[in-house]
């Protein structure tokens, strides 16, 4: 995710810190080569990491929604529905404008102009939805900034945000980064259960192999100890045998000497 991802989003700031991993495209070939020789199950680790990351983002989103319920003036179900209609059209405008600018930067002018035409239609619909929303509540209440939380990245979006502000949000690194993460996680989760089970069995086999090696070394050590003790006893037995033989020889020699003197 690069060095650090931090961005202001209305009332919210997201800072996920510095990634502890090494991000170097030069290492990609080494990784792919190593993976061909031996399955490291990196995809399982990646899935679990992204699951934890997205779960944390979803918790932030839910906590932000609860704070809004506590701090913002409560709307009736009818007015809330009209406010949501404005929000949805505003978000659609922001997303389309961000896409149109991206296509323009890529030199796809005709496609960009086509989207700009769609934006004009969306702006008309949004203006009508704003009028409906404004007429459904007192002016003082309408002037208050009504916020909602982005489902993708948990940033705050205001009902009075202009097109430029929304385009900056939906075309920003934070929002687009979360879209890529969620798409990648969805892709990885298709085979996660199968891959997770395969790694569990692999880890189990490796654990058995390590246990067998330790057991073999232990048995080998025991045999060596017995062999050393046996050799030691054999040497000791031979030493005692030689000692007894020398003692008997010495006694015979002494008796022979005694007989000769007599």
């Amino acid at each position: 995710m690069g060095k650090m991802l931090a961005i202001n989003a209305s009332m919210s700031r997201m800072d996920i810190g510095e990634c502890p991993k090494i991000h170097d495209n030069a290492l990609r070939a080494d990784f792919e080569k190593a993976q061909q020789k031996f399955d490291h199950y990196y995809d399982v680790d990646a899935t679990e990491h992204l699951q934890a990351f997205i779960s944390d983002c979803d918790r932030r989103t839910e906590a932000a929604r609860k704070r809004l319920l506590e701090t913002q003036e409560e709307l009736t179900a009818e007015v809330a529905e009209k406010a949501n209609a404005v929000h949805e059209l505003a978000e659609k405008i922001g997303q389309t404008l961000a896409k149109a600018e991206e296509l323009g930067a890529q030199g796809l002018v005709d496609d960009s102009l086509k989207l700009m035409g769609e934006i004009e239609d969306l702006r008309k619909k949004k203006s009508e939805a704003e009028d409906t929303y404004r007429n459904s509540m007192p002016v003082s209440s309408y002037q208050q900034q009504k916020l909602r939380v982005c489902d993708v990245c948990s940033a705050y979006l205001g009902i009075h945000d202009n097109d430029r502000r929304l385009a900056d949000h939906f075309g920003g690194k934070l929002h687009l980064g979360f879209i890529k993460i969620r798409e990648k996680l969805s892709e990885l989760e298709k085979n996660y259960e199968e891959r997770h089970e395969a790694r569990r069995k692999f880890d189990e086999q490796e654990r058995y192999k390590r246990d067998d090696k330790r057991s073999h070394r232990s048995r080998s050590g025991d045999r060596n100890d017995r062999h050393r003790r046996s050799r030691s006893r054999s040497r000791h037995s031979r030493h005692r045998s030689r000692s007894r033989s020398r003692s008997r020889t010495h006694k015979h020699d002494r008796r022979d000497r005694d007989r000769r003197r007599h």
Side-chain angles (χ1 to χ4, degrees), residues 6-262:
I7 188 169
N8 284 317
S10 185
M11 295 172 61
S12 176
R13 180 180 179 85
M14 174 74 75
D15 183 353
I16 63 174
E18 184 175 340
C19 182
K21 306 296 183 181
I22 297 176
H23 297 263
D24 188 347
N25 289 331
L27 298 177
R28 181 181 293 275
D30 293 337
F31 159 73
E32 292 175 349
K33 185 177 180 180
Q35 186 70 5
Q36 289 175 357
K37 293 181 178 180
F38 180 78
D39 193 347
H40 296 275
Y41 296 96
Y42 289 134
D43 56 320
V44 178
D45 293 330
T47 304
E48 293 172 351
H49 176 74
L50 293 183
Q51 284 174 337
F53 185 80
I54 291 300
S55 294
D56 181 64
C57 178
D58 291 342
R59 284 193 295 271
R60 291 170 182 257
T61 301
E62 189 59 30
R65 286 200 182 102
K66 289 181 179 179
R67 284 196 298 271
L68 290 180
L69 288 175
E70 294 172 355
T71 57
Q72 290 192 146
E73 180 182 347
E74 186 175 356
L75 302 177
T76 63
E78 180 183 357
V79 174
E81 182 179 353
K82 294 175 181 178
N84 286 334
V86 177
H87 273 299
E88 290 170 3
L89 287 167
E91 291 178 15
K92 185 64 175 177
I93 290 171
Q95 292 168 350
T96 308
L97 180 56
K99 183 63 177 178
E101 292 176 346
E102 180 184 352
L103 292 174
Q106 295 174 359
L108 303 175
V109 179
D110 291 341
D111 292 335
S112 178
L113 291 175
K114 182 179 179 180
L115 289 181
M116 292 303 295
E118 294 179 9
I119 290 173
E120 289 303 318
D121 292 337
L122 290 171
R123 282 172 175 163
K124 292 177 182 178
K125 293 179 180 179
K126 180 189 173 187
S127 178
E128 294 173 358
E130 286 176 330
D131 289 340
T132 302
Y133 170 62
R134 183 187 300 110
N135 294 331
S136 66
M137 58 192 310
V139 177
S140 59
S141 298
Y142 175 78
Q143 294 301 326
Q144 296 177 9
Q145 177 75 314
K146 299 299 179 183
L147 300 174
R148 68 183 298 176
V149 183
C150 179
D151 294 331
V152 174
C153 64
S154 78
Y156 287 101
L157 300 172
I159 198 169
H160 300 309
D161 288 341
N162 57 36
D163 296 348
R164 178 73 270 155
R165 159 72 181 84
L166 293 169
D168 288 342
H169 169 77
F170 290 109
K173 292 181 179 179
L174 179 66
H175 186 83
L176 294 178
F178 269 102
I179 289 177
K180 290 182 178 179
I181 290 172
R182 291 179 183 277
E183 289 176 349
K184 186 62 179 179
L185 178 58
S186 178
E187 175 187 337
L188 289 171
E189 284 182 330
K190 292 178 181 178
N191 299 318
Y192 172 71
E193 294 299 332
E194 178 182 346
R195 293 285 292 162
H196 183 270
E197 179 63 16
R199 187 173 72 169
R200 186 191 66 78
K201 291 180 179 178
F202 173 80
D203 292 341
E204 193 174 75
Q205 291 173 355
E206 289 298 302
R207 186 168 60 254
Y208 287 150
K209 290 179 182 179
R210 290 193 298 269
D211 292 343
D212 287 342
K213 287 181 179 179
R214 284 195 294 266
S215 178
H216 176 73
R217 286 196 297 266
S218 178
R219 289 194 299 269
S220 178
D222 291 341
R223 285 196 298 268
N224 291 335
D225 287 343
R226 288 195 298 271
H227 181 63
R228 284 192 295 268
R229 287 195 295 269
S230 177
R231 291 179 59 187
S232 177
R233 286 194 298 268
S234 179
R235 285 195 300 269
H236 184 63
S237 176
R238 288 196 299 269
H239 176 71
R240 285 188 298 177
S241 178
R242 285 195 296 268
S243 297
R244 286 195 297 268
S245 178
R246 285 196 298 269
S247 177
R248 285 195 298 270
T249 300
H250 180 70
K251 290 179 180 178
H252 290 318
D253 291 343
R254 190 171 57 187
R255 284 198 298 270
D256 290 343
R257 286 195 300 271
D258 290 342
R259 289 194 191 101
R260 284 196 295 270
R261 279 198 296 270
H262 293 294

